[in-house]
Amino acid sequence: MQQGEARFASECAVCHSAKADGPTMMGPNLHGLYGRTSGSLAGFSYSQAMKTRAVEWQMDSLQQFIAQPQAFVPGTYMPYVGLASADDRHAVACFLGAQK
Ligand code: HEC
């Protein structure tokens, strides 16, 4: 398993699917994430914070978010403290870019 896939599996997959038509879990589906505006997936009940942040998800914004979710989107419902290693953040961001 590649590093990004492995980190996604250990850090994110408990709450997110990245598969096409994957289930909504505690978090929204992340398939085809890049280019999507934060808080915009129909049918998911986002925090007001995520919707009003209105950031476009890309490699950079995603890495900033998962470094410190509460700093990047103050008030987010995502109960995740952050991924400490920049290398791991980059690997996860690359993995998600390939899920489209
Ligand atoms: C314990 C559950 C949990 C974990 C672990 C988790 N998330 Fe989340 N995630 C959520 C929830 C809940 C939301 C919705 C947040 C909101 O509305 O404020 C969310 C939102 C997001 C969003 C915004 C999506 C959108 O449609 O705007 C992204 C991107 C994201 N998470 C990526 C990740 C990544 C990458 C990881 C692993 C490094 C991760 N999450 C780990 C629960 C989780």
Side-chain angles (χ1 to χ4, degrees):
M1 206 187 270
Q2 297 294 307
Q3 182 185 351
E5 185 178 8
R7 285 283 98 49
F8 185 84
S10 62
E11 300 289 323
C12 318
V14 64
C15 299
H16 292 283
S17 170
K19 294 196 166 72
D21 301 320
T24 298
M25 301 169 74
M26 184 192 280
N29 186 292
L30 298 180
H31 186 82
L33 180 70
Y34 294 163
R36 198 159 107 191
T37 303
S38 70
S40 69
L41 197 66
F44 187 82
S45 190
Y46 290 98
S47 63
Q48 197 57 43
M50 187 62 79
K51 291 187 280 189
T52 52
R53 185 72 172 75
V55 65
E56 182 182 325
W57 293 121
Q58 289 295 356
M59 284 285 291
D60 280 357
S61 53
L62 181 76
Q63 287 172 85
Q64 289 176 55
F65 177 56
I66 62 177
Q68 282 191 303
Q70 288 291 342
F72 192 71
V73 183
T76 178
Y77 288 163
M78 178 157 128
Y80 180 71
V81 60
L83 188 53
S85 152
D87 199 46
D88 284 345
R89 294 195 297 269
H90 186 258
V92 168
C94 289
F95 168 74
L96 281 177
Q99 310 308 302
K100 59 179 188 219

